Amino acid sequence: MSDYENKPINIAIIGLGGQGVITLAKLIANTSFMLGKKVCYNEMHGLSQRGGSVQSFIRINEADNPLFAATDVDFIIGLEKLETLRYLYLAREAKPKVLVSNRYDIRTTVDLGLEMFPESDDIDQEILKYSSDVYIFDALGFENSVKFKLKPVNVAVFSILTTFPELGIPSGKAEDFVTEYLGRNLILKQINKKAFKEGPKWLKKVE
Amino acid sequence: MKAVDSKTDKDVVVGEGEEVQLLMGNRAVVQGLLEAKVGLTTAYPGTPSTEIQMQLYKLHKKGQLYFEFSVNEKVALEIAGAAALSGVRSAVIMKHVGLNVASDPLMALAYFGVQGGMVVVVVDDPGCLSSQNEQDSRFWGKFSHLPILEPSTSQEVKDTIVKAFELSEKYNTIFLVRLTNATSLNTSAVKMKVVEEKLTKDGDFFKDIRYALPARYVLHKGLHANLDQIKEDEDIKAFNVLKFEDSISDKLIITHGAIYSIVEYMRNLNKLDIPILKINAIYPLNEKQIVEILKKYKYIYFVEELESYLESNILSIIGKYNLNVKVFGKEELAVPEENRILPDVLTEAFKRIATDPTNEEVFKVKIPAPSAYAHVFGREDQLIPRTLPRLCDGCCHRGAFYTIKRATKKTDIIPSDIGCYALGQVYPVDVGDFWLCMGASIGTAIGFSLTNDKPVVAIIGDGTFFHAGIPPLIDAVLYNHNITVAILNNSLTAMTGGQPTPSSDEKIAKEQKQLDIEKVVRGIGVEWVKSVRVEDVTENTKLFREAMAHEGPSVMIFNGECIVELYKHSLDLGEAPYVDEELCNMCGTCFIEFSCPSIIKKDGKIAIREDTCTACNICVGVCPQAAIIPRKKKKV
């Protein structure tokens, strides 16, 4: 961990409205802050709640400015494949580490025949072209395993992030934060707890 | 809790009664208001300023201070202005376009000055992430004769608010504090005082001949004299800082508070040893202070978001004092005059700042605006498909849109308004032709009906109707203008996250009265008025046609509930309806015309996504074959 202490770690979280992008950013930032680190983050608001693209940028070891150039990104966390590719394409020079969910939503414009839609496998190939350090989170498998209407994908991803030492988020602290701050009632707390435990099981490194 | 000082890398010293927290810029505004002991606050909802208002609303419900969601920004400013004239510290919160609405009382109130401190917080939205236009509120300073401060980080936001109240009282003038969607939505650590006391709004208004004076140009003169004093104030000067003063360079970058952090980041990323003049006191600018700094440099680079405010103002100072410097502005650095400034936008500008300033050719090159869509898969024709925003799954407006679509022809003119329902214009819902500003749907509908021989339908939400839709409706009644108005009533301001409107019930806002839109409309004198539920699409279509056939103004009120609000009360709204495959003839009405995202094509058949469907069941009434069969729906 000490190797990374001074250089800011630039993280981009990319997804669609309603997936919990901003909550995930809050989880990462607040846990880092509780551990005594400098941290700041940005939320992109707009039509996010309505299925538009949502991005959040976090910098650990930097106090004031959460916004960074795409070519300076260290870690991309993508909760949806196509949005991830869109950002990764801009960031391709940085050769970032990529954690991408296998979730892939059909866009309305494509459904109605207005735009061409790439095949899921093509997107995978394209992602691998721009980064050699790719991890895939089986969000579909995870969601199917959750027997509840709400699928806390962001909590599962947060749990996965504790296994990346460069982020310096110990699993214990992270879990404390999830149970303490997330979830309005007991059922939600239980679901989050389960998601936190199960999350890392659905991760696969692309070799 | 431990926190690290960003400049010294040492632990922040936290005194008694203080703490360090991660705060979004918007929350830092509220913290500043608390520390400045502001007793009265008003606002009208508007992203990106909404978190300020929601937090104040919470504090009001706790009884710590007075806050209200006023009916519009003009009223909000008038309430706060009268409080400040009564010696009470007051604040008004709004987005940039809100200040247009509030500008009428603001311009005249500036003449009177204030007794208690008064701050107007205005949040700009470069890039129009959720607005009808971009505006650079820095220009309000000179126009309204009011000082403007523009902080950079959450800590600066909080400190600036506190300082603005001190200065407001020192000079008896309103202060504007300008944030942008970057400062307001960035979260960083703030050292702050814990304020738990109840803040008072008790004041005392002293009558003064000035307030009733007809010859107000006399007061106008006083304003300029006051501004001359303000710009000499040491506290004001201290808002403008020369950063990296020790850099040995003949170049100087000048920028403003909102994007300073990004400019500093780009300077460091490009390893440029160039100082930056950071201007946080946007208006009035102190000429002497700026001249003293400029004297030390040969090449001046302006990096600004939106308009060239500093560039043009400082150029006139350079001309007046005959300074021998070479200036590089928006044009020379290829910094766009539109959209947000993000680090990537400044790549070219910093390349140019780094080059030899005497090589004039470099600065003449025009660069094309970057394409919004990435080309991937190595093919020019394969773009990444766009992700269009859309109405939520289960949005009650979809029922109203479907009704209007059925009752109108493609050639009919349909002006819409500001709110979630503006998304009705996005294909494939595709209802609404025109979109201007708050309340404009009814006013423009009148204009269109007078000049076009076509039916005209105005679409307006409940919040927008109360905000600015009533006067044009009165106009329609007065002159019997032949328009039909569809009021889409979900009883809250949905677009900004569910703030109360005058038609909100006690479930949303306990502390206010509920106004009945139908009664208001009838009270104005509209003769054809119907209030309906959104689900009855077939019956509603018949009624809507009747409304359109009516000579003179007619109003139909579509009532429904915001699905996001329903989810706040229950996570389980019921089971999704299903499609009876025997009955479905694949006509596409539900899929294309009604266009709910939960209705999908799967294996060549129409299906309903159970994971996203909210069981609003509006589609049940839409299907001409009655092939969509409802299941259990829960009452919330």
Side-chain angles (χ1 to χ4, degrees), chain B residues 106-123:
Chain B
L106 182 77
M107 301 295 281
L109 192 60
Y111 281 33
F112 298 150
V114 284
Q115 301 306 312
M118 177 168 170
V119 169
V120 177
V121 180
V122 56
V123 189

Side-chain angles (χ1 to χ4, degrees), chain A residues 46-103:
Chain A
L47 301 165
S48 41
Q49 205 165 39
R50 288 133 194 114
S53 27
V54 180
Q55 306 176 336
S56 181
F57 302 103
I58 310 173
R59 301 183 79 201
I60 301 175
N61 299 332
E62 155 66 39
D64 291 332
N65 171 44
L67 297 165
F68 49 83
T71 47
D72 196 21
V73 68
D74 298 307
F75 202 150
I76 297 176
I77 301 164
L79 299 186
E80 200 267 351
K81 258 190 200 182
L82 197 67
E83 292 306 314
T84 309
L85 176 58
R86 201 193 303 278
Y87 186 77
L88 178 60
Y89 181 77
L90 297 173
R92 61 194 181 281
E93 279 173 39
K95 298 265 173 224
K97 182 172 273 192
V98 179
L99 168 61
V100 61
S101 141
N102 64 352
R103 190 183 175 107

Side-chain angles (χ1 to χ4, degrees), chain A residues 70-205:
Chain A
T71 47
D72 196 21
V73 68
D74 298 307
F75 202 150
I76 297 176
I77 301 164
L79 299 186
E80 200 267 351
K81 258 190 200 182
L82 197 67
E83 292 306 314
T84 309
L85 176 58
R86 201 193 303 278
Y87 186 77
L88 178 60
Y89 181 77
L90 297 173
R92 61 194 181 281
E93 279 173 39
K95 298 265 173 224
K97 182 172 273 192
V98 179
L99 168 61
V100 61
S101 141
N102 64 352
R103 190 183 175 107
Y104 181 33
D105 279 10
I106 303 277
R107 305 297 195 270
T108 343
T109 48
V110 177
D111 242 354
L112 294 159
L114 296 175
E115 280 180 306
M116 284 202 288
F117 209 51
E119 293 295 324
S120 183
D121 289 347
D122 289 348
I123 297 182
D124 293 349
Q125 290 307 313
E126 203 64 20
I127 286 175
L128 288 172
K129 219 190 267 177
Y130 302 129
S131 169
S132 52
D133 203 0
V134 178
Y135 296 79
I136 291 186
F137 168 58
D138 183 5
L140 301 177
F142 168 76
E143 283 180 29
N144 283 335
S145 76
V146 180
K147 302 277 176 279
F148 193 70
K149 187 140 185 167
L150 277 188
K151 319 282 184 189
V153 172
N154 48 8
V155 174
V157 171
F158 183 52
S159 171
I160 289 170
L161 292 176
T162 61
T163 63
F164 291 94
E166 66 267 40
L167 298 181
I169 302 172
S171 178
K173 286 271 179 208
E175 193 173 0
D176 288 351
F177 196 80
V178 169
T179 41
E180 198 172 333
Y181 289 94
L182 224 56
R184 279 162 291 183
N185 56 39
L186 267 177
I187 302 171
L188 275 183
K189 276 186 194 291
Q190 271 173 12
I191 292 162
N192 285 334
K193 207 179 160 92
K194 188 153 183 270
F196 193 88
K197 203 170 145 222
E198 301 279 313
K201 291 183 192 163
W202 301 93
L203 185 71
K204 201 173 77 201
K205 167 103 170 86

Side-chain angles (χ1 to χ4, degrees), chain B residues 117-153:
Chain B
M118 177 168 170
V119 169
V120 177
V121 180
V122 56
V123 189
D124 284 8
D125 186 18
C128 298
L129 294 179
S130 52
S131 309
Q132 65 264 39
N133 60 308
E134 295 182 307
Q135 262 175 227
D136 195 329
S137 294
R138 292 179 295 166
F139 286 87
W140 281 110
K142 195 164 189 173
F143 193 33
S144 65
H145 308 90
L146 297 173
I148 299 192
L149 303 173
E150 187 184 294
S152 304
T153 61

